Every structure is written in structure tokens, then in C-alpha cells.
Amino acid sequence: MLVGNLTGLTELYLDGVNVTSSHDRKEWSRVISSFLPNITGLSLCRCSLLCPLFKSFWQLRSLSVLRLDLNDLSRVVPDMFASFSSLNTLSLVGCGLEGFFPGVIFGIPSLENLDLSHNKLLSGSVPPFTKTWSVKSMRLSFTNFSGIIPSSLSNLRSLSEIDLSDCLFTGSLPSTFASLTEP
């Protein structure tokens, strides 16, 4: 009902607004995609939302900012997030995510900010990075990401923040890590 008459809205930030109806908590993604097809920025942190994400949600091709922190998404992360080709920011902090994080999401060309922290049941690995990726901030702390930190991390020339604390990475930091200084 809130967004039904706002079809021209391109950004919606309702952090902390508690969706009290159990029906609305489960239907939120269908409602957003039905009434706000041109939305570019969506932030619904701490809104008591539940999964699943409806098929129509993946049609939001203009979405560049998606923040769903601290909602009960308790699911495996769908690789469909990679279909948001304009996605600049993806933040899924403390959502109870589980399973293996799809590496294809790291390949979204426009992705600059990725925060998956505080999802202890989420595992994955950091892929090799190319010089074309524009990642500025990557937070994977308090997850089960593992493996070796790739030396290609030095290819991320725009990287200003990386948090890999309390993960399961092995080995030493690559020597190329030292080249991550501002030009």
C-alpha cells in the first residue's frame, strides 16, 4: 500500500521500518518489483523481511544500490544477483546467508562495494581479479570464506577498504598486497 502510488520513485530507503504483517514480510520483493519497476536504489535494512525473493524481483535491471542488512534471508545466495548489471553496491550484512557464495557476483563490472560480513554460514573464495574490476570496498568478515588470498588483489587499483577478519583464509598475504597504495 505504501508504494502503490509511487510508481515513478527511483530510490527507496526505509531502513528500520518494521514490516509488521507476516504477509508483507514475505511478499516485499514482489511488491517492490510490481510497483517500482524503475527503482535504482533500495535500502531496507532492519525491516524484519523474510525470503524468498520472487522471480519478478530479478527484473529490476536498473538497480544500482541494494542494501538488505539485518533481515532474515536465511538462504543460499542466488547467482541471480549477477543479473543486476548496473549494481554498484550490494550489502547483505547479518542476513543468515548460508551455502557457497556464487563467484559470478564478483564479476559484476559496476560492482564497487560488497559487504557480506556477519554471515557465519556463508562460505566462498576470493576469485582472481582483473584490472578492469572497480571494487573499492570488500567486507567478508565473520564469514566462512576460505582459500588463498589471490595475488591479483593488487589489480584492484581503486580498492580503499578490505576486511577479511575472522574468515578461514590460509597462507600468507601476497607480496603484491604492498602495491595497494594510493597512486
Side-chain angles (χ1 to χ4, degrees), residues 79-88 90 103-112 133-135:
D79 60 0
M80 290 298 293
F81 279 109
S83 68
F84 296 137
S85 58
S86 300
L87 197 62
N88 172 279
L90 177 61
V104 67
I105 295 173
F106 283 106
I108 300 172
S110 56
L111 189 63
E112 292 182 356
W133 287 5
S134 56
V135 175

mmCIF file with all atom_site columns, all heavy atoms in Angstrom, residues 79-88 90 103-112 133-135:
data_model
loop_
_atom_site.group_PDB
_atom_site.id
_atom_site.type_symbol
_atom_site.label_atom_id
_atom_site.label_alt_id
_atom_site.label_comp_id
_atom_site.label_asym_id
_atom_site.label_entity_id
_atom_site.label_seq_id
_atom_site.pdbx_PDB_ins_code
_atom_site.Cartn_x
_atom_site.Cartn_y
_atom_site.Cartn_z
_atom_site.occupancy
_atom_site.B_iso_or_equiv
_atom_site.pdbx_formal_charge
_atom_site.auth_seq_id
_atom_site.auth_comp_id
_atom_site.auth_asym_id
_atom_site.auth_atom_id
_atom_site.pdbx_PDB_model_num
ATOM 1   N N   . ASP A 1 79  ? 22.682 -16.825 -7.555  1.00 0.00 ? 79  ASP A N   1
ATOM 2   C CA  . ASP A 1 79  ? 23.586 -16.213 -8.527  1.00 0.00 ? 79  ASP A CA  1
ATOM 3   C C   . ASP A 1 79  ? 22.861 -15.189 -9.383  1.00 0.00 ? 79  ASP A C   1
ATOM 4   O O   . ASP A 1 79  ? 23.475 -14.447 -10.137 1.00 0.00 ? 79  ASP A O   1
ATOM 5   C CB  . ASP A 1 79  ? 24.286 -17.258 -9.389  1.00 0.00 ? 79  ASP A CB  1
ATOM 6   C CG  . ASP A 1 79  ? 23.336 -18.130 -10.185 1.00 0.00 ? 79  ASP A CG  1
ATOM 7   O OD1 . ASP A 1 79  ? 22.102 -17.949 -10.082 1.00 0.00 ? 79  ASP A OD1 1
ATOM 8   O OD2 . ASP A 1 79  ? 23.831 -19.016 -10.902 1.00 0.00 ? 79  ASP A OD2 1
ATOM 9   N N   . MET A 1 80  ? 21.537 -15.102 -9.216  1.00 0.00 ? 80  MET A N   1
ATOM 10  C CA  . MET A 1 80  ? 20.745 -14.122 -9.967  1.00 0.00 ? 80  MET A CA  1
ATOM 11  C C   . MET A 1 80  ? 21.147 -12.681 -9.631  1.00 0.00 ? 80  MET A C   1
ATOM 12  O O   . MET A 1 80  ? 20.847 -11.769 -10.390 1.00 0.00 ? 80  MET A O   1
ATOM 13  C CB  . MET A 1 80  ? 19.256 -14.316 -9.703  1.00 0.00 ? 80  MET A CB  1
ATOM 14  C CG  . MET A 1 80  ? 18.688 -15.605 -10.313 1.00 0.00 ? 80  MET A CG  1
ATOM 15  S SD  . MET A 1 80  ? 18.811 -15.642 -12.108 1.00 0.00 ? 80  MET A SD  1
ATOM 16  C CE  . MET A 1 80  ? 17.679 -14.334 -12.536 1.00 0.00 ? 80  MET A CE  1
ATOM 17  N N   . PHE A 1 81  ? 21.825 -12.450 -8.503  1.00 0.00 ? 81  PHE A N   1
ATOM 18  C CA  . PHE A 1 81  ? 22.292 -11.099 -8.197  1.00 0.00 ? 81  PHE A CA  1
ATOM 19  C C   . PHE A 1 81  ? 23.196 -10.593 -9.325  1.00 0.00 ? 81  PHE A C   1
ATOM 20  O O   . PHE A 1 81  ? 23.280 -9.399  -9.570  1.00 0.00 ? 81  PHE A O   1
ATOM 21  C CB  . PHE A 1 81  ? 23.047 -11.049 -6.862  1.00 0.00 ? 81  PHE A CB  1
ATOM 22  C CG  . PHE A 1 81  ? 22.145 -10.985 -5.665  1.00 0.00 ? 81  PHE A CG  1
ATOM 23  C CD1 . PHE A 1 81  ? 22.026 -12.074 -4.826  1.00 0.00 ? 81  PHE A CD1 1
ATOM 24  C CD2 . PHE A 1 81  ? 21.414 -9.843  -5.372  1.00 0.00 ? 81  PHE A CD2 1
ATOM 25  C CE1 . PHE A 1 81  ? 21.198 -12.030 -3.714  1.00 0.00 ? 81  PHE A CE1 1
ATOM 26  C CE2 . PHE A 1 81  ? 20.581 -9.784  -4.271  1.00 0.00 ? 81  PHE A CE2 1
ATOM 27  C CZ  . PHE A 1 81  ? 20.467 -10.882 -3.432  1.00 0.00 ? 81  PHE A CZ  1
ATOM 28  N N   . ALA A 1 82  ? 23.869 -11.487 -10.015 1.00 0.00 ? 82  ALA A N   1
ATOM 29  C CA  . ALA A 1 82  ? 24.743 -11.097 -11.121 1.00 0.00 ? 82  ALA A CA  1
ATOM 30  C C   . ALA A 1 82  ? 23.952 -10.546 -12.299 1.00 0.00 ? 82  ALA A C   1
ATOM 31  O O   . ALA A 1 82  ? 24.511 -9.888  -13.167 1.00 0.00 ? 82  ALA A O   1
ATOM 32  C CB  . ALA A 1 82  ? 25.590 -12.279 -11.562 1.00 0.00 ? 82  ALA A CB  1
ATOM 33  N N   . SER A 1 83  ? 22.644 -10.780 -12.335 1.00 0.00 ? 83  SER A N   1
ATOM 34  C CA  . SER A 1 83  ? 21.823 -10.248 -13.430 1.00 0.00 ? 83  SER A CA  1
ATOM 35  C C   . SER A 1 83  ? 21.594 -8.739  -13.285 1.00 0.00 ? 83  SER A C   1
ATOM 36  O O   . SER A 1 83  ? 21.145 -8.095  -14.219 1.00 0.00 ? 83  SER A O   1
ATOM 37  C CB  . SER A 1 83  ? 20.481 -10.977 -13.505 1.00 0.00 ? 83  SER A CB  1
ATOM 38  O OG  . SER A 1 83  ? 19.677 -10.680 -12.386 1.00 0.00 ? 83  SER A OG  1
ATOM 39  N N   . PHE A 1 84  ? 21.927 -8.194  -12.109 1.00 0.00 ? 84  PHE A N   1
ATOM 40  C CA  . PHE A 1 84  ? 21.834 -6.745  -11.921 1.00 0.00 ? 84  PHE A CA  1
ATOM 41  C C   . PHE A 1 84  ? 23.116 -6.128  -12.462 1.00 0.00 ? 84  PHE A C   1
ATOM 42  O O   . PHE A 1 84  ? 24.041 -5.820  -11.727 1.00 0.00 ? 84  PHE A O   1
ATOM 43  C CB  . PHE A 1 84  ? 21.660 -6.386  -10.439 1.00 0.00 ? 84  PHE A CB  1
ATOM 44  C CG  . PHE A 1 84  ? 20.383 -6.890  -9.820  1.00 0.00 ? 84  PHE A CG  1
ATOM 45  C CD1 . PHE A 1 84  ? 20.392 -7.458  -8.565  1.00 0.00 ? 84  PHE A CD1 1
ATOM 46  C CD2 . PHE A 1 84  ? 19.169 -6.773  -10.473 1.00 0.00 ? 84  PHE A CD2 1
ATOM 47  C CE1 . PHE A 1 84  ? 19.215 -7.901  -7.975  1.00 0.00 ? 84  PHE A CE1 1
ATOM 48  C CE2 . PHE A 1 84  ? 17.990 -7.214  -9.891  1.00 0.00 ? 84  PHE A CE2 1
ATOM 49  C CZ  . PHE A 1 84  ? 18.013 -7.786  -8.634  1.00 0.00 ? 84  PHE A CZ  1
ATOM 50  N N   . SER A 1 85  ? 23.170 -5.921  -13.754 1.00 0.00 ? 85  SER A N   1
ATOM 51  C CA  . SER A 1 85  ? 24.402 -5.494  -14.414 1.00 0.00 ? 85  SER A CA  1
ATOM 52  C C   . SER A 1 85  ? 24.825 -4.076  -14.042 1.00 0.00 ? 85  SER A C   1
ATOM 53  O O   . SER A 1 85  ? 25.967 -3.693  -14.266 1.00 0.00 ? 85  SER A O   1
ATOM 54  C CB  . SER A 1 85  ? 24.261 -5.611  -15.930 1.00 0.00 ? 85  SER A CB  1
ATOM 55  O OG  . SER A 1 85  ? 23.169 -4.828  -16.365 1.00 0.00 ? 85  SER A OG  1
ATOM 56  N N   . SER A 1 86  ? 23.934 -3.283  -13.450 1.00 0.00 ? 86  SER A N   1
ATOM 57  C CA  . SER A 1 86  ? 24.270 -1.922  -13.020 1.00 0.00 ? 86  SER A CA  1
ATOM 58  C C   . SER A 1 86  ? 24.579 -1.840  -11.539 1.00 0.00 ? 86  SER A C   1
ATOM 59  O O   . SER A 1 86  ? 24.787 -0.754  -11.006 1.00 0.00 ? 86  SER A O   1
ATOM 60  C CB  . SER A 1 86  ? 23.097 -0.973  -13.325 1.00 0.00 ? 86  SER A CB  1
ATOM 61  O OG  . SER A 1 86  ? 22.814 -0.960  -14.692 1.00 0.00 ? 86  SER A OG  1
ATOM 62  N N   . LEU A 1 87  ? 24.614 -2.985  -10.861 1.00 0.00 ? 87  LEU A N   1
ATOM 63  C CA  . LEU A 1 87  ? 24.775 -2.997  -9.408  1.00 0.00 ? 87  LEU A CA  1
ATOM 64  C C   . LEU A 1 87  ? 26.124 -2.426  -8.994  1.00 0.00 ? 87  LEU A C   1
ATOM 65  O O   . LEU A 1 87  ? 27.171 -2.890  -9.428  1.00 0.00 ? 87  LEU A O   1
ATOM 66  C CB  . LEU A 1 87  ? 24.614 -4.425  -8.875  1.00 0.00 ? 87  LEU A CB  1
ATOM 67  C CG  . LEU A 1 87  ? 24.349 -4.564  -7.391  1.00 0.00 ? 87  LEU A CG  1
ATOM 68  C CD1 . LEU A 1 87  ? 23.038 -3.881  -6.996  1.00 0.00 ? 87  LEU A CD1 1
ATOM 69  C CD2 . LEU A 1 87  ? 24.286 -6.039  -6.999  1.00 0.00 ? 87  LEU A CD2 1
ATOM 70  N N   . ASN A 1 88  ? 26.074 -1.392  -8.188  1.00 0.00 ? 88  ASN A N   1
ATOM 71  C CA  . ASN A 1 88  ? 27.256 -0.723  -7.670  1.00 0.00 ? 88  ASN A CA  1
ATOM 72  C C   . ASN A 1 88  ? 27.524 -1.154  -6.227  1.00 0.00 ? 88  ASN A C   1
ATOM 73  O O   . ASN A 1 88  ? 28.659 -1.342  -5.832  1.00 0.00 ? 88  ASN A O   1
ATOM 74  C CB  . ASN A 1 88  ? 27.045 0.792   -7.751  1.00 0.00 ? 88  ASN A CB  1
ATOM 75  C CG  . ASN A 1 88  ? 28.121 1.581   -7.077  1.00 0.00 ? 88  ASN A CG  1
ATOM 76  O OD1 . ASN A 1 88  ? 28.102 1.730   -5.866  1.00 0.00 ? 88  ASN A OD1 1
ATOM 77  N ND2 . ASN A 1 88  ? 29.055 2.077   -7.857  1.00 0.00 ? 88  ASN A ND2 1
ATOM 78  N N   . LEU A 1 90  ? 26.223 -3.845  -3.104  1.00 0.00 ? 90  LEU A N   1
ATOM 79  C CA  . LEU A 1 90  ? 25.457 -4.977  -2.606  1.00 0.00 ? 90  LEU A CA  1
ATOM 80  C C   . LEU A 1 90  ? 25.849 -5.196  -1.162  1.00 0.00 ? 90  LEU A C   1
ATOM 81  O O   . LEU A 1 90  ? 27.000 -5.503  -0.862  1.00 0.00 ? 90  LEU A O   1
ATOM 82  C CB  . LEU A 1 90  ? 25.730 -6.240  -3.430  1.00 0.00 ? 90  LEU A CB  1
ATOM 83  C CG  . LEU A 1 90  ? 25.030 -7.516  -2.949  1.00 0.00 ? 90  LEU A CG  1
ATOM 84  C CD1 . LEU A 1 90  ? 23.503 -7.351  -2.981  1.00 0.00 ? 90  LEU A CD1 1
ATOM 85  C CD2 . LEU A 1 90  ? 25.457 -8.710  -3.790  1.00 0.00 ? 90  LEU A CD2 1
ATOM 86  N N   . GLY A 1 103 ? 30.609 -17.058 -7.187  1.00 0.00 ? 103 GLY A N   1
ATOM 87  C CA  . GLY A 1 103 ? 31.719 -16.238 -7.654  1.00 0.00 ? 103 GLY A CA  1
ATOM 88  C C   . GLY A 1 103 ? 31.355 -15.306 -8.787  1.00 0.00 ? 103 GLY A C   1
ATOM 89  O O   . GLY A 1 103 ? 31.989 -14.272 -8.977  1.00 0.00 ? 103 GLY A O   1
ATOM 90  N N   . VAL A 1 104 ? 30.316 -15.628 -9.542  1.00 0.00 ? 104 VAL A N   1
ATOM 91  C CA  . VAL A 1 104 ? 29.901 -14.799 -10.678 1.00 0.00 ? 104 VAL A CA  1
ATOM 92  C C   . VAL A 1 104 ? 29.502 -13.394 -10.218 1.00 0.00 ? 104 VAL A C   1
ATOM 93  O O   . VAL A 1 104 ? 29.621 -12.441 -10.974 1.00 0.00 ? 104 VAL A O   1
ATOM 94  C CB  . VAL A 1 104 ? 28.760 -15.497 -11.465 1.00 0.00 ? 104 VAL A CB  1
ATOM 95  C CG1 . VAL A 1 104 ? 27.487 -15.593 -10.642 1.00 0.00 ? 104 VAL A CG1 1
ATOM 96  C CG2 . VAL A 1 104 ? 28.503 -14.812 -12.778 1.00 0.00 ? 104 VAL A CG2 1
ATOM 97  N N   . ILE A 1 105 ? 29.098 -13.252 -8.974  1.00 0.00 ? 105 ILE A N   1
ATOM 98  C CA  . ILE A 1 105 ? 28.710 -11.932 -8.456  1.00 0.00 ? 105 ILE A CA  1
ATOM 99  C C   . ILE A 1 105 ? 29.924 -11.017 -8.358  1.00 0.00 ? 105 ILE A C   1
ATOM 100 O O   . ILE A 1 105 ? 29.826 -9.809  -8.597  1.00 0.00 ? 105 ILE A O   1
ATOM 101 C CB  . ILE A 1 105 ? 27.970 -12.073 -7.104  1.00 0.00 ? 105 ILE A CB  1
ATOM 102 C CG1 . ILE A 1 105 ? 26.649 -12.823 -7.330  1.00 0.00 ? 105 ILE A CG1 1
ATOM 103 C CG2 . ILE A 1 105 ? 27.714 -10.710 -6.473  1.00 0.00 ? 105 ILE A CG2 1
ATOM 104 C CD1 . ILE A 1 105 ? 25.898 -13.173 -6.075  1.00 0.00 ? 105 ILE A CD1 1
ATOM 105 N N   . PHE A 1 106 ? 31.092 -11.579 -8.060  1.00 0.00 ? 106 PHE A N   1
ATOM 106 C CA  . PHE A 1 106 ? 32.310 -10.771 -8.045  1.00 0.00 ? 106 PHE A CA  1
ATOM 107 C C   . PHE A 1 106 ? 32.595 -10.159 -9.410  1.00 0.00 ? 106 PHE A C   1
ATOM 108 O O   . PHE A 1 106 ? 33.294 -9.173  -9.519  1.00 0.00 ? 106 PHE A O   1
ATOM 109 C CB  . PHE A 1 106 ? 33.523 -11.615 -7.622  1.00 0.00 ? 106 PHE A CB  1
ATOM 110 C CG  . PHE A 1 106 ? 33.607 -11.898 -6.156  1.00 0.00 ? 106 PHE A CG  1
ATOM 111 C CD1 . PHE A 1 106 ? 33.300 -13.156 -5.655  1.00 0.00 ? 106 PHE A CD1 1
ATOM 112 C CD2 . PHE A 1 106 ? 34.007 -10.919 -5.264  1.00 0.00 ? 106 PHE A CD2 1
ATOM 113 C CE1 . PHE A 1 106 ? 33.398 -13.427 -4.310  1.00 0.00 ? 106 PHE A CE1 1
ATOM 114 C CE2 . PHE A 1 106 ? 34.105 -11.179 -3.913  1.00 0.00 ? 106 PHE A CE2 1
ATOM 115 C CZ  . PHE A 1 106 ? 33.793 -12.438 -3.433  1.00 0.00 ? 106 PHE A CZ  1
ATOM 116 N N   . GLY A 1 107 ? 32.060 -10.759 -10.459 1.00 0.00 ? 107 GLY A N   1
ATOM 117 C CA  . GLY A 1 107 ? 32.331 -10.309 -11.822 1.00 0.00 ? 107 GLY A CA  1
ATOM 118 C C   . GLY A 1 107 ? 31.407 -9.224  -12.340 1.00 0.00 ? 107 GLY A C   1
ATOM 119 O O   . GLY A 1 107 ? 31.527 -8.828  -13.494 1.00 0.00 ? 107 GLY A O   1
ATOM 120 N N   . ILE A 1 108 ? 30.484 -8.725  -11.521 1.00 0.00 ? 108 ILE A N   1
ATOM 121 C CA  . ILE A 1 108 ? 29.620 -7.634  -11.985 1.00 0.00 ? 108 ILE A CA  1
ATOM 122 C C   . ILE A 1 108 ? 30.519 -6.431  -12.262 1.00 0.00 ? 108 ILE A C   1
ATOM 123 O O   . ILE A 1 108 ? 31.185 -5.926  -11.359 1.00 0.00 ? 108 ILE A O   1
ATOM 124 C CB  . ILE A 1 108 ? 28.543 -7.286  -10.932 1.00 0.00 ? 108 ILE A CB  1
ATOM 125 C CG1 . ILE A 1 108 ? 27.657 -8.495  -10.633 1.00 0.00 ? 108 ILE A CG1 1
ATOM 126 C CG2 . ILE A 1 108 ? 27.705 -6.094  -11.388 1.00 0.00 ? 108 ILE A CG2 1
ATOM 127 C CD1 . ILE A 1 108 ? 26.707 -8.298  -9.467  1.00 0.00 ? 108 ILE A CD1 1
ATOM 128 N N   . PRO A 1 109 ? 30.583 -5.958  -13.502 1.00 0.00 ? 109 PRO A N   1
ATOM 129 C CA  . PRO A 1 109 ? 31.547 -4.914  -13.872 1.00 0.00 ? 109 PRO A CA  1
ATOM 130 C C   . PRO A 1 109 ? 31.405 -3.614  -13.080 1.00 0.00 ? 109 PRO A C   1
ATOM 131 O O   . PRO A 1 109 ? 32.395 -2.947  -12.817 1.00 0.00 ? 109 PRO A O   1
ATOM 132 C CB  . PRO A 1 109 ? 31.272 -4.657  -15.350 1.00 0.00 ? 109 PRO A CB  1
ATOM 133 C CG  . PRO A 1 109 ? 30.386 -5.741  -15.809 1.00 0.00 ? 109 PRO A CG  1
ATOM 134 C CD  . PRO A 1 109 ? 29.753 -6.381  -14.626 1.00 0.00 ? 109 PRO A CD  1
ATOM 135 N N   . SER A 1 110 ? 30.200 -3.264  -12.686 1.00 0.00 ? 110 SER A N   1
ATOM 136 C CA  . SER A 1 110 ? 29.969 -1.998  -11.996 1.00 0.00 ? 110 SER A CA  1
ATOM 137 C C   . SER A 1 110 ? 30.092 -2.107  -10.473 1.00 0.00 ? 110 SER A C   1
ATOM 138 O O   . SER A 1 110 ? 30.026 -1.103  -9.776  1.00 0.00 ? 110 SER A O   1
ATOM 139 C CB  . SER A 1 110 ? 28.573 -1.466  -12.343 1.00 0.00 ? 110 SER A CB  1
ATOM 140 O OG  . SER A 1 110 ? 27.597 -2.441  -12.019 1.00 0.00 ? 110 SER A OG  1
ATOM 141 N N   . LEU A 1 111 ? 30.302 -3.315  -9.953  1.00 0.00 ? 111 LEU A N   1
ATOM 142 C CA  . LEU A 1 111 ? 30.318 -3.524  -8.504  1.00 0.00 ? 111 LEU A CA  1
ATOM 143 C C   . LEU A 1 111 ? 31.514 -2.831  -7.853  1.00 0.00 ? 111 LEU A C   1
ATOM 144 O O   . LEU A 1 111 ? 32.660 -3.116  -8.174  1.00 0.00 ? 111 LEU A O   1
ATOM 145 C CB  . LEU A 1 111 ? 30.347 -5.016  -8.176  1.00 0.00 ? 111 LEU A CB  1
ATOM 146 C CG  . LEU A 1 111 ? 30.148 -5.384  -6.714  1.00 0.00 ? 111 LEU A CG  1
ATOM 147 C CD1 . LEU A 1 111 ? 28.763 -4.958  -6.231  1.00 0.00 ? 111 LEU A CD1 1
ATOM 148 C CD2 . LEU A 1 111 ? 30.319 -6.886  -6.516  1.00 0.00 ? 111 LEU A CD2 1
ATOM 149 N N   . GLU A 1 112 ? 31.233 -1.897  -6.951  1.00 0.00 ? 112 GLU A N   1
ATOM 150 C CA  . GLU A 1 112 ? 32.271 -1.171  -6.231  1.00 0.00 ? 112 GLU A CA  1
ATOM 151 C C   . GLU A 1 112 ? 32.280 -1.495  -4.744  1.00 0.00 ? 112 GLU A C   1
ATOM 152 O O   . GLU A 1 112 ? 33.324 -1.424  -4.111  1.00 0.00 ? 112 GLU A O   1
ATOM 153 C CB  . GLU A 1 112 ? 32.089 0.342   -6.405  1.00 0.00 ? 112 GLU A CB  1
ATOM 154 C CG  . GLU A 1 112 ? 32.333 0.821   -7.811  1.00 0.00 ? 112 GLU A CG  1
ATOM 155 C CD  . GLU A 1 112 ? 32.198 2.318   -7.951  1.00 0.00 ? 112 GLU A CD  1
ATOM 156 O OE1 . GLU A 1 112 ? 31.838 3.010   -6.970  1.00 0.00 ? 112 GLU A OE1 1
ATOM 157 O OE2 . GLU A 1 112 ? 32.447 2.819   -9.066  1.00 0.00 ? 112 GLU A OE2 1
ATOM 158 N N   . TRP A 1 133 ? 38.203 -4.556  -12.971 1.00 0.00 ? 133 TRP A N   1
ATOM 159 C CA  . TRP A 1 133 ? 37.245 -4.503  -11.874 1.00 0.00 ? 133 TRP A CA  1
ATOM 160 C C   . TRP A 1 133 ? 37.449 -3.240  -11.063 1.00 0.00 ? 133 TRP A C   1
ATOM 161 O O   . TRP A 1 133 ? 38.567 -2.824  -10.788 1.00 0.00 ? 133 TRP A O   1
ATOM 162 C CB  . TRP A 1 133 ? 37.371 -5.726  -11.003 1.00 0.00 ? 133 TRP A CB  1
ATOM 163 C CG  . TRP A 1 133 ? 36.825 -6.957  -11.674 1.00 0.00 ? 133 TRP A CG  1
ATOM 164 C CD1 . TRP A 1 133 ? 36.360 -7.059  -12.942 1.00 0.00 ? 133 TRP A CD1 1
ATOM 165 C CD2 . TRP A 1 133 ? 36.711 -8.252  -11.101 1.00 0.00 ? 133 TRP A CD2 1
ATOM 166 N NE1 . TRP A 1 133 ? 35.950 -8.333  -13.194 1.00 0.00 ? 133 TRP A NE1 1
ATOM 167 C CE2 . TRP A 1 133 ? 36.155 -9.083  -12.079 1.00 0.00 ? 133 TRP A CE2 1
ATOM 168 C CE3 . TRP A 1 133 ? 37.024 -8.778  -9.877  1.00 0.00 ? 133 TRP A CE3 1
ATOM 169 C CZ2 . TRP A 1 133 ? 35.901 -10.430 -11.859 1.00 0.00 ? 133 TRP A CZ2 1
ATOM 170 C CZ3 . TRP A 1 133 ? 36.771 -10.118 -9.643  1.00 0.00 ? 133 TRP A CZ3 1
ATOM 171 C CH2 . TRP A 1 133 ? 36.211 -10.921 -10.635 1.00 0.00 ? 133 TRP A CH2 1
ATOM 172 N N   . SER A 1 134 ? 36.353 -2.647  -10.647 1.00 0.00 ? 134 SER A N   1
ATOM 173 C CA  . SER A 1 134 ? 36.411 -1.349  -9.971  1.00 0.00 ? 134 SER A CA  1
ATOM 174 C C   . SER A 1 134 ? 36.056 -1.430  -8.485  1.00 0.00 ? 134 SER A C   1
ATOM 175 O O   . SER A 1 134 ? 35.581 -0.460  -7.921  1.00 0.00 ? 134 SER A O   1
ATOM 176 C CB  . SER A 1 134 ? 35.477 -0.371  -10.686 1.00 0.00 ? 134 SER A CB  1
ATOM 177 O OG  . SER A 1 134 ? 34.166 -0.907  -10.723 1.00 0.00 ? 134 SER A OG  1
ATOM 178 N N   . VAL A 1 135 ? 36.279 -2.561  -7.851  1.00 0.00 ? 135 VAL A N   1
ATOM 179 C CA  . VAL A 1 135 ? 35.925 -2.743  -6.442  1.00 0.00 ? 135 VAL A CA  1
ATOM 180 C C   . VAL A 1 135 ? 36.685 -1.749  -5.572  1.00 0.00 ? 135 VAL A C   1
ATOM 181 O O   . VAL A 1 135 ? 37.907 -1.626  -5.660  1.00 0.00 ? 135 VAL A O   1
ATOM 182 C CB  . VAL A 1 135 ? 36.208 -4.190  -5.979  1.00 0.00 ? 135 VAL A CB  1
ATOM 183 C CG1 . VAL A 1 135 ? 35.953 -4.352  -4.504  1.00 0.00 ? 135 VAL A CG1 1
ATOM 184 C CG2 . VAL A 1 135 ? 35.365 -5.163  -6.778  1.00 0.00 ? 135 VAL A CG2 1
#
